[in-house]
């Protein structure tokens, strides 16, 4: 009984292999017929799709692959980024070794973190009275806006204009960090004392407009020699600014405009 089953399985496997070969042959013939029909109908031929290079890169390179030295993994390493960091504090982490252990020094690891904490400062401004009865009060930093410092001011501007964060979310973010501020005060931060930022804006605009390029066209020099020597100005890049109140601050570039215009 078992021998009969084994023989039957062997026969079915042989027939299955024959059917697979016949199916592959039919597929080739069918594709040839489709290509012939496309040629007769003047249709574009099938695109030749090259195999993806991702399969090659994911395969492990062996000595026969002819890769780098030894066909193994590259020994080159990226440069250290620690030179760009400034260590602010050093903390020694104590271990709990068993008795009889020997101290073998330290193993260093550099950890970067970010701390956003509110800083509240009381400024005691001196008051003086002149002999003629006038009162003189010490001046504060001009970067203060309504009881908020320049760092908070810059962060609000960055969140709103660069990050597209709404005033309500800025209020929620500042309140979550411990800063007592309202929506009206945030709007004031976004609209008050922007002279410094406008000056930077004008400097960027002048630098962008000063980089217009001029190219000489020589393509049609033989057919039209008179026009070939005429300088042709490339399509200028117009730097369009948004509202002067720094609403949606950013730059938008467009080509093909006849002149430089600012919105």
């Amino acid at each position: 009984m078992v021998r009969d089953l084994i023989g039957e399985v062997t026969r079915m496997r042989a027939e299955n292999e024959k059917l697979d070969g016949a199916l592959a042959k039919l597929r080739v013939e069918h594709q040839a017929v489709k290509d012939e029909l496309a040629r007769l109908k003047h249709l574009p031929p099938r695109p030749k799709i090259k195999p993806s290079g991702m399969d090659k890169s994911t395969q492990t390179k062996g000595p026969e692959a002819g890769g780098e030295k030894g066909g193994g993994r590259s020994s080159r390493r990226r440069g250290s980024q620690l030179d760009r960091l400034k260590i602010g504090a050093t903390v020694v982490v104590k271990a709990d070794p068993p008795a009889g252990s020997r101290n073998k020094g330290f193993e260093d690891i550099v950890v970067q973190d970010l701390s956003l904490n509110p800083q509240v400062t009381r400024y005691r401004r001196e008051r003086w009275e002149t002999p003629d009865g006038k009162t003189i009060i010490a001046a504060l930093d001009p970067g203060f806006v309504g009881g908020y410092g320049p760092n908070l001011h810059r962060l609000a501007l960055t969140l709103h204009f660069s990050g597209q964060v709404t005033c309500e979310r800025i209020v929620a973010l500042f309140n979550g960090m411990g800063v007592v501020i309202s929506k009206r005060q945030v709007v004031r931060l976004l609209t008050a004392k922007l002279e410094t930022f406008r000056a930077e804006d004008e400097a960027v605009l002048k630098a962008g407009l000063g980089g217009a390029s001029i190219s000489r066209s020589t393509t049609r020099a033989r057919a039209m020699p008179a026009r070939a020597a005429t300088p042709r100005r490339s399509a200028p890049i117009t730097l369009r600014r948004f509202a002067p109140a720094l609403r949606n601050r950013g730059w938008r570039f467009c080509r093909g405009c006849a002149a430089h215009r600012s919105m």
Side-chain angles (χ1 to χ4, degrees), residues 93 102-108:
V93 182
R102 292 186 301 172
N103 189 351
K104 304 295 290 185
F106 298 93
E107 181 176 341
D108 295 340

Side-chain angles (χ1 to χ4, degrees), residues 203-226:
V204 173
L205 178 61
K206 291 180 180 179
L209 297 181
S213 59
I214 298 177
S215 60
R216 185 176 297 275
S217 177
T218 58
T219 304
R220 304 175 62 184
R222 297 180 180 178
M224 303 181 66

Side-chain angles (χ1 to χ4, degrees), residues 166-187:
T166 61
C167 295
E168 291 80 3
R169 293 184 177 180
I170 293 177
V171 172
L173 177 63
F174 285 170
N175 291 338
M177 292 189 297
V179 178
V180 179
I181 194 171
S182 63
K183 181 180 177 180
R184 178 181 60 83
Q185 293 167 328
V186 169
V187 173

Side-chain angles (χ1 to χ4, degrees), residues 84-261:
R84 302 169 54 185
L85 301 178
K86 181 179 179 180
I87 306 298
T90 302
V91 178
V92 177
V93 182
K94 298 291 185 179
D96 188 13
S101 302
R102 292 186 301 172
N103 189 351
K104 304 295 290 185
F106 298 93
E107 181 176 341
D108 295 340
I109 179 173
V110 178
V111 178
Q112 301 180 66
D113 199 359
L114 180 64
S115 177
L116 296 177
N117 297 318
Q119 182 178 358
V120 182
T121 306
R122 182 193 301 273
Y123 289 89
R124 299 181 62 87
R125 305 167 61 186
E126 291 185 346
R127 298 181 59 184
W128 295 82
E129 184 176 354
T130 62
D132 55 357
K134 294 182 180 180
T135 301
I136 299 178
I137 303 177
L140 287 174
D141 188 341
F144 293 164
V145 179
Y148 298 97
N151 294 330
L152 187 67
H153 188 194
R154 185 174 295 274
L155 177 59
L157 291 174
T158 303
L159 290 174
H160 185 69
F161 297 119
S162 298
Q164 303 296 319
V165 182
T166 61
C167 295
E168 291 80 3
R169 293 184 177 180
I170 293 177
V171 172
L173 177 63
F174 285 170
N175 291 338
M177 292 189 297
V179 178
V180 179
I181 194 171
S182 63
K183 181 180 177 180
R184 178 181 60 83
Q185 293 167 328
V186 169
V187 173
R188 184 179 181 185
L189 289 176
L190 299 177
T191 55
K193 293 188 178 182
L194 302 179
E195 291 78 9
T196 303
F197 303 99
R198 289 197 181 98
E200 296 177 358
D201 176 37
E202 295 296 335
V204 173
L205 178 61
K206 291 180 180 179
L209 297 181
S213 59
I214 298 177
S215 60
R216 185 176 297 275
S217 177
T218 58
T219 304
R220 304 175 62 184
R222 297 180 180 178
M224 303 181 66
R227 296 182 56 185
T230 303
R232 178 175 59 85
R233 183 177 295 274
S234 61
I237 299 177
T238 300
L239 293 162
R240 293 189 174 182
R241 294 175 296 167
F242 293 90
L246 293 182
R247 171 66 61 182
N248 198 11
R249 172 59 59 198
W251 294 105
R252 183 174 60 188
F253 298 90
C254 62
R255 291 184 177 273
C257 299
H260 300 290
R261 297 187 301 271

